[in-house]
Amino acid sequence: MKFKTKDYVFLGITGALYTALYFVIIMSFYAIGLGAFFHIISPGIFALIGGTIITFIVSKCSKFGTFTILSIIIIILMSLFGGGYLPWILTSLTTAILADIISFKFGYKKTLTLGISYGILSVGQAMGSIIPVWFFVDSYKETFERRGMTPEGMNEMINAAKGIMGFYALILVFILAFIGILIGKAILKKHFENQ
Protein backbone atom coordinates (compact mmCIF):
# COMPACT_ATOMS: atom_id res chain seq x y z
CA MET A 1 0.00 0.00 0.00
CA LYS A 2 1.16 3.49 -0.77
CA PHE A 3 1.08 6.39 1.63
CA LYS A 4 -1.60 9.00 1.06
CA THR A 5 -1.47 12.64 2.11
CA LYS A 6 -3.60 11.85 5.17
CA ASP A 7 -1.03 9.22 6.25
CA TYR A 8 1.79 11.77 6.12
CA VAL A 9 -0.32 14.30 8.04
CA PHE A 10 -1.22 11.65 10.63
CA LEU A 11 2.41 10.59 11.05
CA GLY A 12 3.51 14.22 11.24
CA ILE A 13 1.03 15.03 14.00
CA THR A 14 1.65 11.85 15.98
CA GLY A 15 5.42 12.16 15.45
CA ALA A 16 5.31 15.70 16.86
CA LEU A 17 3.18 14.50 19.79
CA TYR A 18 5.57 11.60 20.42
CA THR A 19 8.60 13.92 20.38
CA ALA A 20 6.97 16.56 22.59
CA LEU A 21 5.88 13.95 25.12
CA TYR A 22 9.40 12.49 25.08
CA PHE A 23 10.86 15.91 25.90
CA VAL A 24 8.37 16.55 28.72
CA ILE A 25 8.81 13.15 30.35
CA ILE A 26 12.58 12.94 30.01
CA MET A 27 13.12 16.52 31.20
CA SER A 28 10.85 15.82 34.17
CA PHE A 29 13.07 12.90 35.13
CA TYR A 30 16.21 15.01 34.70
CA ALA A 31 14.69 17.65 36.97
CA ILE A 32 14.55 15.12 39.80
CA GLY A 33 18.23 14.34 39.30
CA LEU A 34 18.41 10.88 37.77
CA GLY A 35 21.92 9.94 36.65
CA ALA A 36 23.75 9.22 33.44
CA PHE A 37 22.59 5.61 33.15
CA PHE A 38 19.05 6.96 32.99
CA HIS A 39 20.03 9.09 29.99
CA ILE A 40 21.43 6.03 28.24
CA ILE A 41 18.21 4.04 28.79
CA SER A 42 15.83 7.00 28.35
CA PRO A 43 14.46 5.62 25.05
CA GLY A 44 13.34 2.55 26.98
CA ILE A 45 11.93 4.53 29.90
CA PHE A 46 9.94 6.65 27.48
CA ALA A 47 8.88 3.56 25.54
CA LEU A 48 6.78 2.46 28.51
CA ILE A 49 4.49 5.38 27.61
CA GLY A 50 5.45 5.73 23.95
CA GLY A 51 4.37 2.15 23.31
CA THR A 52 0.76 3.29 23.53
CA ILE A 53 1.37 5.97 20.92
CA ILE A 54 3.16 3.49 18.64
CA THR A 55 0.32 0.98 19.07
CA PHE A 56 -2.18 3.69 18.13
CA ILE A 57 -0.09 4.78 15.13
CA VAL A 58 0.15 1.23 13.81
CA SER A 59 -3.59 0.70 14.32
CA LYS A 60 -4.22 3.61 11.94
CA CYS A 61 -1.26 3.37 9.57
CA SER A 62 0.34 -0.04 9.16
CA LYS A 63 2.13 0.42 5.88
CA PHE A 64 5.70 -0.38 4.95
CA GLY A 65 7.71 2.70 5.91
CA THR A 66 5.61 3.79 8.88
CA PHE A 67 8.50 3.47 11.35
CA THR A 68 10.96 5.04 8.96
CA ILE A 69 8.79 8.08 8.24
CA LEU A 70 7.98 8.46 11.93
CA SER A 71 11.69 8.26 12.78
CA ILE A 72 12.56 10.88 10.17
CA ILE A 73 10.00 13.23 11.72
CA ILE A 74 11.39 12.58 15.21
CA ILE A 75 14.97 13.09 13.98
CA ILE A 76 14.07 16.40 12.34
CA LEU A 77 12.28 17.67 15.45
CA MET A 78 14.99 16.49 17.86
CA SER A 79 17.67 18.04 15.64
CA LEU A 80 15.82 21.37 15.58
CA PHE A 81 16.01 21.38 19.37
CA GLY A 82 19.70 20.49 19.47
CA GLY A 83 19.30 16.77 20.17
CA GLY A 84 20.40 15.37 16.83
CA TYR A 85 23.88 14.08 16.08
CA LEU A 86 25.16 11.76 13.40
CA PRO A 87 25.53 8.43 15.27
CA TRP A 88 22.04 8.80 16.75
CA ILE A 89 20.56 9.72 13.37
CA LEU A 90 22.24 6.74 11.65
CA THR A 91 21.29 4.18 14.31
CA SER A 92 17.74 5.53 14.54
CA LEU A 93 17.22 5.35 10.77
CA THR A 94 18.86 1.95 10.38
CA THR A 95 16.75 0.36 13.10
CA ALA A 96 13.59 2.08 11.82
CA ILE A 97 14.13 0.47 8.43
CA LEU A 98 14.77 -2.88 10.12
CA ALA A 99 11.61 -2.46 12.22
CA ASP A 100 9.63 -1.75 9.06
CA ILE A 101 11.01 -4.83 7.31
CA ILE A 102 10.16 -7.07 10.28
CA SER A 103 6.70 -5.57 10.73
CA PHE A 104 5.91 -5.73 7.03
CA LYS A 105 6.96 -9.37 6.82
CA PHE A 106 5.19 -10.56 9.99
CA GLY A 107 2.35 -8.06 10.42
CA TYR A 108 2.44 -4.61 11.97
CA LYS A 109 -0.52 -5.22 14.27
CA LYS A 110 0.66 -8.50 15.81
CA THR A 111 1.71 -7.95 19.42
CA LEU A 112 4.90 -10.01 19.19
CA THR A 113 5.97 -8.39 15.93
CA LEU A 114 5.16 -4.88 17.15
CA GLY A 115 6.97 -5.50 20.45
CA ILE A 116 10.09 -6.71 18.66
CA SER A 117 9.95 -3.89 16.11
CA TYR A 118 9.49 -1.18 18.74
CA GLY A 119 12.22 -2.79 20.84
CA ILE A 120 14.59 -2.59 17.88
CA LEU A 121 13.53 0.99 17.15
CA SER A 122 14.15 2.02 20.76
CA VAL A 123 17.49 0.21 20.87
CA GLY A 124 18.52 2.20 17.78
CA GLN A 125 17.77 5.42 19.61
CA ALA A 126 19.76 4.28 22.64
CA MET A 127 22.67 3.14 20.45
CA GLY A 128 23.15 6.77 19.44
CA SER A 129 24.57 7.42 22.92
CA ILE A 130 26.39 4.12 23.29
CA ILE A 131 28.19 3.63 19.97
CA PRO A 132 30.10 6.93 20.25
CA VAL A 133 31.40 5.83 23.66
CA TRP A 134 32.52 2.50 22.23
CA PHE A 135 34.20 3.82 19.08
CA PHE A 136 35.02 7.54 19.24
CA VAL A 137 34.70 8.72 22.80
CA ASP A 138 36.99 11.78 22.49
CA SER A 139 34.98 13.28 19.62
CA TYR A 140 31.71 12.48 21.41
CA LYS A 141 32.89 14.14 24.61
CA GLU A 142 34.16 17.21 22.77
CA THR A 143 30.89 17.62 20.83
CA PHE A 144 28.68 17.53 23.89
CA GLU A 145 30.96 19.70 25.99
CA ARG A 146 30.69 22.31 23.21
CA ARG A 147 26.89 21.97 23.52
CA GLY A 148 27.09 22.83 27.21
CA MET A 149 27.52 19.51 28.99
CA THR A 150 30.03 19.62 31.83
CA PRO A 151 33.16 17.45 31.67
CA GLU A 152 31.96 15.69 34.84
CA GLY A 153 28.56 15.02 33.26
CA MET A 154 30.20 13.64 30.13
CA ASN A 155 32.45 11.38 32.19
CA GLU A 156 29.35 10.00 33.95
CA MET A 157 27.69 9.38 30.57
CA ILE A 158 30.78 7.64 29.25
CA ASN A 159 31.06 5.42 32.33
CA ALA A 160 27.36 4.52 32.07
CA ALA A 161 27.71 3.42 28.43
CA LYS A 162 31.15 1.87 28.14
CA GLY A 163 31.83 -1.84 27.96
CA ILE A 164 29.29 -4.29 29.29
CA MET A 165 27.14 -1.49 30.74
CA GLY A 166 26.25 -0.43 27.21
CA PHE A 167 25.09 -3.95 26.37
CA TYR A 168 23.03 -4.13 29.57
CA ALA A 169 21.48 -0.79 28.68
CA LEU A 170 20.49 -1.99 25.20
CA ILE A 171 18.90 -5.15 26.56
CA LEU A 172 16.99 -3.14 29.16
CA VAL A 173 15.79 -0.66 26.51
CA PHE A 174 14.51 -3.52 24.35
CA ILE A 175 12.63 -5.08 27.27
CA LEU A 176 11.10 -1.76 28.35
CA ALA A 177 9.96 -1.03 24.79
CA PHE A 178 8.37 -4.46 24.49
CA ILE A 179 6.57 -3.87 27.79
CA GLY A 180 5.46 -0.48 26.44
CA ILE A 181 3.74 -2.22 23.53
CA LEU A 182 2.02 -4.63 25.93
CA ILE A 183 0.81 -1.62 27.95
CA GLY A 184 -0.31 0.10 24.75
CA LYS A 185 -2.20 -2.97 23.58
CA ALA A 186 -3.93 -3.25 26.98
CA ILE A 187 -4.89 0.43 27.01
CA LEU A 188 -6.15 0.41 23.43
CA LYS A 189 -7.76 -3.04 23.60
CA LYS A 190 -11.28 -1.62 23.60
CA HIS A 191 -10.40 0.49 20.57
CA PHE A 192 -9.13 -2.60 18.71
CA GLU A 193 -12.21 -4.61 19.64
CA ASN A 194 -14.41 -1.94 18.03
CA GLN A 195 -12.51 -2.06 14.73
Side-chain angles (χ1 to χ4, degrees):
M1 283 197 257
K2 291 188 177 191
F3 284 91
K4 298 178 181 173
T5 302
K6 69 176 188 162
D7 297 322
Y8 290 112
V9 170
F10 173 73
L11 290 173
I13 292 169
T14 54
L17 172 67
Y18 185 93
T19 305
L21 191 58
Y22 180 85
F23 270 120
V24 168
I25 290 170
I26 298 307
M27 290 305 154
S28 298
F29 281 117
Y30 281 132
I32 60 174
L34 295 176
F37 188 72
F38 171 79
H39 174 77
I40 301 299
I41 64 164
S42 63
I45 298 291
F46 176 72
L48 290 169
I49 295 163
T52 302
I53 298 170
I54 294 297
T55 303
F56 176 72
I57 290 169
V58 167
S59 76
K60 300 294 181 189
C61 184
S62 54
K63 298 174 181 175
F64 182 75
T66 296
F67 290 124
T68 304
I69 293 169
L70 184 65
S71 291
I72 290 169
I73 292 164
I74 292 167
I75 288 166
I76 290 169
L77 292 172
M78 293 289 272
S79 296
L80 287 173
F81 291 104
Y85 54 102
L86 189 58
W88 174 76
I89 292 169
L90 293 175
T91 58
S92 294
L93 280 177
T94 302
T95 56
I97 293 166
L98 182 58
D100 271 321
I101 291 168
I102 291 168
S103 292
F104 182 73
K105 181 165 178 64
F106 297 105
Y108 277 88
K109 294 182 183 180
K110 292 180 181 175
T111 303
L112 180 62
T113 302
L114 186 56
I116 291 169
S117 295
Y118 190 46
I120 290 169
L121 191 70
S122 297
V123 162
Q125 293 170 353
M127 286 171 67
S129 294
I130 295 171
I131 285 180
V133 171
W134 288 348
F135 297 107
F136 42 93
V137 70
D138 293 334
S139 168
Y140 179 61
K141 186 174 180 178
E142 181 182 311
T143 298
F144 279 89
E145 286 178 1
R146 273 197 320 260
R147 292 184 180 186
M149 189 120 182
T150 66
E152 297 80 21
M154 275 310 300
N155 287 335
E156 282 183 47
M157 292 275 291
I158 291 165
N159 288 332
K162 70 180 179 184
I164 195 73
M165 290 302 293
F167 285 111
Y168 290 153
L170 294 176
I171 292 166
L172 183 57
V173 166
F174 183 88
I175 292 167
L176 292 171
F178 198 98
I179 292 169
I181 292 300
L182 296 176
I183 292 169
K185 288 280 190 172
I187 289 172
L188 297 175
K189 184 177 182 181
K190 188 171 186 171
H191 172 73
F192 291 131
E193 287 172 354
N194 293 333
Q195 284 188 337

